[in-house]
Amino acid sequence: MGPEHTAEVTIASDLAEARRIQEEIEAALQSSAYSERDIFSIKLALEEALVNAIKHGNQMDPDKRVSVAYRISPRRFEIQVTDEGDGFNPEDVPDPTAIENLERPCGRGLLLMRGFMTEVAYHGKGNVVSMLLDKDRQEAAAE
């Protein structure tokens, strides 16, 4: 694989399809010599984004699609996941670390995505999420 790998894929709202895309991206990351730590971070954030799109966005509707566009370069991983749902406001999701929410399942995926990626942003009506893992910014923050 060359210095950059890009792909755009549309899948059905099916968790098995989501796993297939995750495996494809993992293979591309390994080919681009990403560390196991970075691959773990990306896989975890990607799984959360895809599951959110399929379950919450598209409500598991087999007629709705999830679009995934990504770019892998030696120092940056960028991805955008779009569902056909009504969207949401991420600011309305309760903080899962707040005492009153510790036993509630909502919000943990968003927290994980933000924790493992350099940037996470929602666009439009909230049915598009873009994520970035930037190795240069990661290393600068660690210093």
Side-chain angles (χ1 to χ4, degrees):
M1 188 177 298
E4 190 169 289
H5 176 79
T6 61
E8 291 186 33
V9 186
T10 300
I11 62 169
S13 292
D14 177 2
L15 296 174
E17 284 291 294
R19 280 189 294 280
R20 185 180 62 75
I21 293 300
Q22 287 174 270
E23 290 167 3
E24 178 183 303
I25 291 172
E26 180 179 3
L29 291 166
Q30 288 171 339
S31 297
S32 296
Y34 272 66
S35 71
E36 286 302 313
R37 180 175 182 257
D38 287 340
I39 292 171
F40 174 83
S41 297
I42 291 167
K43 278 177 52 179
L44 189 66
L46 175 59
E47 179 177 12
E48 291 297 336
L50 289 170
V51 168
N52 286 347
I54 292 168
K55 285 187 173 180
H56 302 298
N58 289 350
Q59 303 291 308
M60 299 292 288
D61 182 340
D63 295 328
K64 290 187 177 179
R65 301 284 177 245
V66 175
S67 298
V68 179
Y70 64 93
R71 179 179 332 164
I72 299 169
S73 63
R75 305 290 300 163
R76 288 171 67 97
F77 171 80
E78 300 171 73
I79 189 160
Q80 183 168 299
V81 177
T82 306
D83 64 59
E84 295 180 346
D86 295 332
F88 79 114
N89 181 348
E91 302 305 315
D92 291 343
V93 176
D95 176 358
T97 63
I99 297 294
E100 65 273 15
N101 297 326
L102 289 179
E103 294 187 22
R104 296 180 65 200
C106 61
R108 287 191 175 87
L110 299 181
L111 182 72
L112 287 170
M113 289 162 53
R114 290 178 180 133
F116 282 104
M117 301 298 282
T118 309
E119 285 179 19
V120 176
Y122 288 87
H123 310 281
K125 61 184 182 179
N127 67 325
V128 180
V129 62
S130 60
M131 299 187 294
L132 166 71
L133 184 101
D134 183 318
K135 292 184 184 188
D136 294 328
R137 285 178 33 198
Q138 215 178 30
E139 289 167 5
E143 291 176 359

